[in-house]
Amino acid sequence: MVFRKSLTRELTFTALGVFVVLLAIILSTQAINLLGRAAEGQIANEAVTALIGFWALGLFPLLMILTVFVTVLVVMTRIWRDHEMAVWLSSGLSLRDWIWPVMRFTIPLALLVGIVSLFIAPWAEERSQVYAEILKRREEISAIAPGVFKETGSGSKVYFIESYGGQHGAATRIFMQDVSEGKVSSIFAQRGYITVNADNERVLVLEDGRRYVGEPGQSNYEVGSFKRYSVLIGTNQKLAAAPNNRQAQSTSTLIGSSDPAYRSELVWRLSMPLSCLVLALLAIPLSYYNPRSGHAYNLVVALLGFFLYQNSLTLVRNWITQGKVGMASILVVHVIVLIIAVLLLKYRDRPASSVSQTLKYFLHKH
């Protein structure tokens, strides 16, 4: 009992450290990407934090699976390296007796992976795409970064602001150019802000500025100054429709669907918690470490095995999407890896046996 509690505690603390490190690495990479896009004016500055949060929720199942695998591998390797396993085996117990203590740690996390992959991750994906669509539909001036010229999607307008400030996030020192009907309208204003009028139309209100209107190459430009100038920039956008891609569909929608893409997404979500359990079991024999050799080749082999397993699942999922195989085909990958884990456990229970003796043992030819 004391041993199991000690192992669970060590696995838990190691998992926390591994998860935080992996999350920090992945989120920092994504944050740099989004901040760069925000600096270029591709997305609104206030959208960065929300998009990172949605993205982290969607990636949580795979991140947690990798955390469980690395945690069991690292802790079990330390036990081998510190000769604790030698004491364990010399007392008459086998490597298979480690399965239940490891599963006590893994099963709750596998259930968490299942809940997130089946319910929370699709919701996060759907909200992320809806949020991105809302920002895309918003008038481009809302995503302008100070000091950057921003052209609208139609190319008819160009905006530039010096800074944000004042009440309600008003912009200061604004330049706007509008090309329509062969004429160019250039406006310079000291400040401005966006509001919605009584007809639910978005209006850019400019204050204290000058307006120049004319045809390029001609000298008959109209020049005027104003205290307040309003420019209609579009109707107030309604909530975008829900995305129709498979990652954003709820699990209830996927169940019973005949669409191969939806069926592949369903089996992928169901495979997440199962792969978490299988990888935890596989990590037990792969953690074998010979203290006399001083090499940690097992860690390299284990990581290669992890990527091979995940890529095999991805390949089968793509085949299901293309209609080449049925939904049950993905179970073949899990079964193969599970059989490999069981065989390795048997092999590590007989570390002093030769290869031929081990093969005879597997084939029950004593």
Side-chain angles (χ1 to χ4, degrees), residues 25-320:
I25 294 173
I26 294 176
L27 290 188
S28 60
T29 303
Q30 182 69 3
I32 292 173
N33 179 35
L34 290 177
L35 288 174
R37 293 171 60 188
E40 295 174 358
Q42 297 181 14
I43 60 175
N45 295 331
E46 65 270 16
V48 173
T49 303
L51 292 178
I52 290 177
F54 289 136
W55 187 79
L57 285 175
L59 196 63
F60 177 85
L62 185 60
L63 189 63
M64 182 55 66
I65 291 172
L66 181 59
T67 298
V68 170
F69 180 65
V70 173
T71 297
V72 176
L73 191 65
V74 169
V75 172
M76 295 294 293
T77 300
R78 184 204 62 78
I79 292 174
W80 279 101
R81 186 178 61 249
D82 294 347
H83 305 281
E84 294 181 18
M85 187 62 71
V87 177
W88 176 273
L89 297 177
S90 63
S91 64
L93 299 174
S94 68
L95 193 61
R96 284 171 288 183
D97 293 315
W98 287 81
I99 295 178
W100 173 238
V102 170
M103 286 299 143
R104 286 185 58 193
F105 161 78
T106 306
I107 290 175
L109 296 180
L111 293 176
L112 179 60
V113 169
I115 293 173
V116 174
S117 61
L118 289 173
F119 304 106
I120 300 179
W123 172 85
E125 179 70 18
E126 187 265 340
R127 295 310 307 167
S128 175
Q129 295 188 25
V130 169
Y131 190 47
E133 182 66 18
I134 292 174
L135 294 177
K136 183 179 179 181
R137 292 187 178 186
R138 283 172 51 182
E139 186 65 23
E140 287 84 348
I141 193 173
S142 302
I144 289 179
V148 177
F149 283 92
K150 178 64 179 181
E151 186 178 15
T152 62
S154 60
S156 61
K157 293 184 177 65
V158 176
Y159 298 99
F160 177 88
I161 62 174
E162 184 176 293
S163 63
Y164 283 116
Q167 191 177 12
H168 305 302
T172 58
R173 299 188 182 277
I174 302 171
F175 165 77
M176 186 187 82
Q177 186 176 77
D178 184 9
V179 180
S180 59
E181 298 180 356
K183 292 186 178 182
V184 178
S185 174
S186 300
I187 300 176
F188 300 87
Q190 292 298 318
R191 56 194 161 271
Y193 57 91
I194 295 178
T195 185
V196 179
N197 61 17
D199 296 326
N200 203 33
E201 295 174 327
R202 303 180 69 212
V203 178
L204 173 62
V205 179
L206 302 174
E207 297 177 345
D208 296 332
R210 297 178 67 86
R211 180 171 181 258
Y212 304 85
V213 182
E215 298 180 10
Q218 302 296 326
S219 59
N220 56 340
Y221 267 76
E222 299 178 7
V223 181
S225 60
F226 57 85
K227 286 292 184 181
R228 182 184 177 92
Y229 184 82
S230 298
V231 181
L232 183 65
I233 58 176
T235 59
N236 194 26
Q237 298 292 343
K238 298 181 180 179
L239 183 64
N244 56 3
N245 67 321
R246 63 186 184 186
Q247 290 85 2
Q249 300 300 318
S250 64
T251 301
S252 59
T253 303
L254 300 180
I255 296 176
S257 175
S258 59
D259 189 341
Y262 283 12
R263 292 161 68 91
S264 66
E265 180 65 23
L266 178 61
V267 297
W268 176 260
R269 295 179 189 178
L270 295 174
S271 293
M272 288 290 182
L274 184 58
S275 61
C276 184
L277 296 173
V278 173
L279 283 170
L281 181 63
L282 182 64
I284 297 176
L286 289 180
S287 64
Y288 172 76
Y289 176 86
N290 188 352
R292 296 181 179 179
S293 67
H295 300 295
Y297 296 137
N298 64 311
L299 297 178
V300 177
V301 174
L303 290 178
L304 288 177
F306 170 82
F307 288 115
L308 181 61
Y309 182 28
Q310 292 299 317
N311 289 336
S312 299
L313 292 175
T314 303
L315 179 62
V316 174
R317 181 183 66 171
N318 293 337
W319 286 348
I320 297 175

Side-chain angles (χ1 to χ4, degrees), residues 15-29:
L16 288 175
V18 172
F19 181 80
V20 169
V21 171
L22 292 177
L23 185 65
I25 294 173
I26 294 176
L27 290 188
S28 60
T29 303

Side-chain angles (χ1 to χ4, degrees), residues 344-363:
L344 287 175
L345 279 171
K346 286 188 176 183
Y347 176 74
R348 289 307 175 192
D349 272 341
R350 298 170 57 85
S353 301
S354 63
V355 175
S356 61
Q357 290 174 330
T358 302
L359 291 175
K360 291 180 180 180
Y361 176 76
F362 288 155
L363 299 174

